[in-house]
Amino acid sequence: MSANSDGTATSALAETDSVRTLPLAGLSALAMAGFIAITTETMPAGLLVQIGSGLSVSVSGAGQLVTAYALGSVVGAVPLIALTRGLRRRAVLVSATVGFGVFNLVTALSSNLVLTLGVRFLAGMAAGVVWGLLAGYARRMAPPRLQGRAVAVASVGQPIALAIGVPMGAWLGTLADWRVVFAVMSVAALLLVVWILTVMPDFPGQQADRQLSVRKVLVLPGVRPILFVAFLWIFAHNIVYTYLAAFLDRIGFGDRLGIVLFVFGLFAFVGIGVVGVFVDRALRSLTVLSLVVFAAALTALGVGGDSFAVIALSVAVWGVAFGGAPTVLQTALADTTGDAVDTAQSVFVTIFNAAIAAGGVVGGLILADRGAGALPLVSLVLIVVGVLVVSIRQFGHSL
């Protein structure tokens, strides 16, 4: 399909089963967009000392670069997806990717904290657009029988970025100034624009008379249980993940944080592979299984978290369970909302980032009041509630 296509033939191709295999080149471009979004978000965490020195602020002040990015995603996802849902999908994706290139370049050149925080906020808004587009775009490129697997392939950039984003930034920061790291990310984003324009099919936006408001999407049967479970899942995950360093410090393994994070990212990648195989034919069972496996990992961390072997094994199991979470949740949401998938995904992005923020706040309160050892057990309660919701409530049409 040529880049000049009006999108009609391409859309029809995806909506029939005439495509026999997944369009891996296009899905890989989406995965790279996700990789850049997550890496741009998390990379400063490995460069806080250098960034603080370069901007003449404290380390905690430099840490607000991560906060500003997350806020941009929360604030921008729903309104930007709503504003752009009538536009051609590739043009919207290219615009967001160009945004990563520009905002990372400005970050690399800026010596002013306010300007830097501002462009980080805008970069977060670009990420909100990418996450709002990703699942719907991936599904439209694939035949119906492989749409869940397409989402899994397009999501693979996330665990890779989580595994290597922070350590890669820290490592590059030892080789060159932190500004060079952001410049490299800028170049990577602009190269991705060329990749998108070369390999990805284009699709028309949604016609005005078929667009549903956020309120109407939220009252569709099955949508709210999915979003509720998504919040519980990400909330529970971040209560522990955000304070994993403190959890390891309490038993003398703080120096092994990098190893533990790498194990998590590696097995999250495995989890996406497993989910990709089964998501199109066993979505409810896969969702329940993922939550139960996560609950088992949390139990092991809470009961046997004094042993590094137990910690490493539990984190590996946790990674497998969590790696496929975005895929199963976004697939359930897409199956439920149909043509309103992009609007629904924008709400999902907001819920996802709100849960991350909530995990940081609540985890901090638990840490201060009960200590790091209590973190997995609190998260376990949330996951048990999630299992009950998936088991007894309507949870997407295909589950």
Side-chain angles (χ1 to χ4, degrees):
M1 193 64 59
S2 71
N4 296 325
S5 169
D6 65 1
T8 304
T10 306
S11 180
L13 189 64
E15 292 170 359
T16 68
D17 206 22
S18 59
V19 179
R20 300 300 178 186
T21 59
L22 288 176
L24 292 179
L27 293 174
S28 297
L30 285 176
M32 186 62 186
F35 175 86
I36 288 176
I38 292 291
T39 303
T40 298
E41 178 174 16
T42 61
M43 192 172 53
L47 298 166
L48 292 182
V49 174
Q50 298 96 313
I51 292 173
S53 176
L55 295 177
S56 301
V57 297
S58 66
V59 171
S60 61
Q64 300 315 303
L65 270 67
V66 178
T67 304
Y69 189 100
L71 286 175
S73 293
V74 171
V75 172
V78 172
L80 287 177
I81 289 296
L83 285 172
T84 59
R85 59 188 168 180
L87 303 178
R88 299 194 70 85
R89 301 291 82 190
R90 189 170 61 188
V92 177
L93 179 61
V94 166
S95 297
T97 308
V98 169
F100 284 130
V102 172
F103 301 138
N104 277 320
L105 180 60
V106 174
T107 301
L109 297 175
S110 172
S111 58
N112 181 277
L113 179 62
V114 174
L115 174 60
T116 303
L117 290 175
V119 294
R120 288 287 295 176
F121 181 86
L122 293 175
M125 295 181 75
V129 172
V130 169
W131 297 130
L133 285 175
L134 189 142
Y137 212 139
R139 288 169 68 89
R140 291 178 77 172
M141 286 196 291
R145 63 185 175 84
L146 295 176
Q147 287 179 338
R149 190 173 299 180
V151 174
V153 174
S155 300
V156 79
Q158 301 173 47
I160 295 175
L162 288 172
I164 70 173
V166 174
M168 181 179 70
W171 174 70
L172 289 175
T174 65
L175 302 178
D177 186 80
W178 64 272
R179 299 179 187 279
V180 175
V181 180
F182 281 95
V184 169
M185 291 304 300
S186 176
V187 172
L190 297 178
L191 289 175
L192 178 59
V193 170
V194 177
W195 186 356
I196 291 170
L197 292 173
T198 302
V199 305
M200 289 192 66
D202 196 8
F203 297 104
Q206 194 175 39
Q207 296 177 356
D209 59 354
R210 300 184 66 181
Q211 295 177 6
L212 296 180
S213 66
V214 171
R215 183 184 64 81
K216 290 182 178 179
V217 170
L218 288 176
V219 299
L220 291 173
V223 169
R224 283 172 293 179
I226 294 170
L227 293 175
F228 181 59
V229 171
F231 182 84
L232 290 175
W233 202 337
I234 308 307
F235 184 23
H237 165 79
N238 279 280
I239 284 175
V240 184
Y241 190 80
T242 304
Y243 298 99
L244 195 53
F247 185 83
L248 294 174
D249 274 340
R250 86 184 232 284
I251 49 176
F253 296 125
D255 59 336
R256 302 186 189 181
L257 176 62
I259 296 173
V260 172
L261 291 175
F262 178 78
V263 168
F264 177 85
L266 176 64
F267 281 89
F269 183 80
V270 173
I272 284 188
V274 173
V275 165
V277 172
F278 297 105
V279 66
D280 289 303
R281 56 181 184 269
L283 188 50
R284 180 189 288 275
S285 298
L286 196 58
T287 305
V288 172
L289 179 62
S290 296
L291 288 167
V292 169
V293 169
F294 185 19
L298 290 170
T299 303
L301 285 173
V303 175
D306 292 340
S307 163
F308 186 75
V310 171
I311 291 173
L313 180 60
S314 300
V315 168
V317 172
W318 173 13
V320 172
F322 186 78
T327 298
V328 297
L329 291 167
Q330 289 179 103
T331 298
L333 201 57
D335 287 349
T336 301
T337 55
D339 288 344
V341 57
D342 286 352
T343 299
Q345 295 296 338
S346 70
V347 178
F348 176 82
V349 172
T350 302
I351 293 291
F352 195 100
N353 283 281
I356 291 174
V361 172
V362 173
L365 293 174
I366 296 168
L367 185 65
D369 186 55
R370 297 291 180 180
L375 297 172
L377 298 179
V378 174
S379 293
L380 177 62
V381 174
L382 298 172
I383 293 302
V384 169
V385 175
V387 171
L388 293 174
V389 172
V390 177
S391 300
I392 66 177
R393 292 291 303 272
Q394 181 179 358
F395 192 80
H397 295 331
S398 67
L399 292 175

